Amino acid sequence: MIKKTFRSMVILILCMLAICVSLIMGVLYNYFDKQYVTELKNEAVFIGKGVELNGLDYLNDLPMKNCRITWIGTDGAVLYDNKADAASMENHGDREEVENALEKGDGFSTRYSKTLDEKTINYAIRLDDQTILRVSSDYDTMLHIVLGMIQPILAIVAIALIVAAIFAYRLSKRIVKPFNDIDLEHPEKAEAYEELAPFLRKIEHQNRQIKKQMQELTRQQVEFAAITENMTEGFLVVDTKQKLLSYNTSALVLLDVQGEVEHENVLHLNRSENFQKAITLALEGKHNEQSMKFGEHYYQLFANPVFQDEVLSGAIVVIMDVTEKEQRDALRREFTTNVSHELKTPLTSISGTAEIMGNGLVKQEDVPHFANIIYKEAQRLIALVGDIIKLSKLEEPDMTEQKEMVNMAEVVESVVETLEVPAAKKNISFLVKTEDCVILGIPSILNEIVYNLCDNAVKYNVEKGKVTVSLKKKEKRTVLTVEDTGIGIPREEQERIFERFYRVDKSHSKDIGGTGLGLSIVKHGAAYHNAEITLESEVGKGTKISIIF
Ligand code: ADP
């Protein structure tokens, strides 16, 4: 802006200088021209008087003058000329100034040289004897004067221009300074020209609007980021060229991508066939769902095309980690297989025994024995079904039974009482050490926990073994410990015994009894009461299981 203002000013000054110089020259020229003519007239009148008095002698006696003096007779013949031979001169009767002088008493004419740089002014007066005296003088025309003065004029113009340019530059800076000083963030504080006030008000208004819109945008962005960042599901947005436009951290974590991925081709994030398929189909405008296995994890992909004004503009892919669900499904499948197997064994036994008896192949005295087999197998079935029901109830998220204050010492005593007969069969002695411990829980589940632990301690104990059940308070927590002097559990099996249907010694399980679900019930029951389980066991020495409520 400084440059433009400066240039305009210099052009203006230059034009003004040119106009001023021309006008001044014109005025001066006009003034001196008039002056010159007046002088010429006076001279003509003066010389005319001399000629009227002394005739040709007066002219001959005149000292040599700059101007030309011509005396013309009434017929136009030249009688005298101080610059040329009068006799050789042509008739001057037709000259404008002579004609006018003859007619009106005086006449005036101006003639220019061929080069236009000189002009001759002629002034003629009529003398008393009707002859004409003409005085002529040559002088420089305006063009000549200008040409002659070109150098000083140019010098003056140049000096004026330099001075003007300096001032113009300073002035331009001063004019532009208030513009530069405007703080567009706070135009209301600017002390600029009055004329700028509406413009500044408009900027301020627009600033306020931009600020508002920016705040709204930021709020929306933060909201969007908060939603997407808190999603456990992965989230990818791509354009029609498969370029990644947006994503959340979960997406990168699920796909195990590290580093910057902005604007990368989304297919570079994962090479699996179904991932590529999900994107490709979505970008063909088709909603689709794909499953994908990546490392140890299972994912479900939901890919949707995005349309803007009915034109496909990209796709959104939501990635869900369904590993847990997959594992649950696998467990359920395994459980079903196990249950079928566990049910089949006693049922086959019952069916076979019943068939033999039905065919009359069993002697009367053997009937009680076979009936006992059927009874035992049926009991096993009942126990198994009972445990399955208990376990499935525990897995039910909305259990209907209400928690209540349960006196654990009473639970322990009642369980030990129940197990007295089987314990006695193996000469196992019970040692019960209980403190008064009351916990908030579901009585039937707490009973199952204590029963299964004590039952195992008896089942997997040796002849004349010992079972110690203790209940004590430790740092505001209730600790139930069941310790036996039984066969113990190998270290490598200790993790697995809480799995459903897992038994360490599968071959003897039938003799010992048990469903393989006891510790599973303990595990789920403890989890339901937010209790921890610890296990210490050594083969041949015994097992100690604690539940810390
Ligand atoms: P089960 O009904 O077969 O006893 P559990 O789930 O209660 O099933 O126990 C799983 C397996 O863990 C048992 O089959 C047994 O091998 C082992 N086990 C459980 N408790 C003990 C213990 N106190 N001593 C030794 N082994 C045990």
Side-chain angles (χ1 to χ4, degrees), residues 35-151:
Q35 211 51 17
Y36 210 76
V37 170
T38 311
E39 269 177 33
L40 206 67
K41 267 184 186 176
N42 290 342
E43 192 142 345
V45 171
F46 182 76
I47 296 168
K49 288 288 175 208
V51 172
E52 273 174 349
L53 288 173
N54 297 320
L56 195 60
D57 295 339
Y58 176 77
L59 290 171
N60 286 331
D61 292 344
L62 264 178
M64 201 56 184
K65 288 221 173 227
N66 277 343
C67 55
R68 185 174 190 171
I69 301 163
T70 312
W71 190 27
I72 302 153
T74 46
D75 55 353
V78 178
L79 303 174
Y80 170 82
D81 192 284
N82 66 343
K83 298 276 164 117
D85 176 20
S88 61
M89 287 172 71
E90 59 183 21
N91 190 297
H92 273 43
D94 58 349
R95 302 286 161 94
E96 188 191 345
E97 68 281 3
V98 176
E99 273 181 349
N100 281 337
L102 276 172
E103 205 183 310
K104 297 172 194 160
D106 68 346
F108 181 78
S109 77
T110 308
R111 275 189 285 278
Y112 289 91
S113 69
K114 274 182 192 155
T115 53
L116 289 176
D117 62 344
E118 256 186 14
K119 76 173 182 177
T120 308
I121 52 171
N122 307 292
Y123 184 70
I125 51 165
R126 193 176 63 203
L127 304 182
D128 291 343
D129 58 356
Q130 300 302 309
T131 58
I132 302 295
L133 181 87
R134 187 187 75 178
V135 181
S136 305
S137 180
D138 296 334
Y139 73 101
D140 297 342
T141 59
M142 186 70 167
L143 182 71
H144 190 87
I145 294 168
V146 171
L147 286 175
M149 286 174 69
I150 197 88
Q151 269 182 336

Side-chain angles (χ1 to χ4, degrees), residues 387 452-453 455-457 459-461 484 486-489 497-499 502-505 509 513-520 537 542-543 545:
D387 277 357
N452 282 308
L453 291 176
D455 184 40
N456 283 350
K459 273 195 303 192
Y460 303 104
N461 216 325
D484 63 61
I487 56 172
I489 307 158
I497 55 166
F498 293 94
E499 288 175 19
Y502 193 83
R503 294 183 186 102
V504 176
D505 186 356
S509 64
T515 57
L517 294 173
L519 287 182
S520 258
S537 184
T543 303
I545 298 179

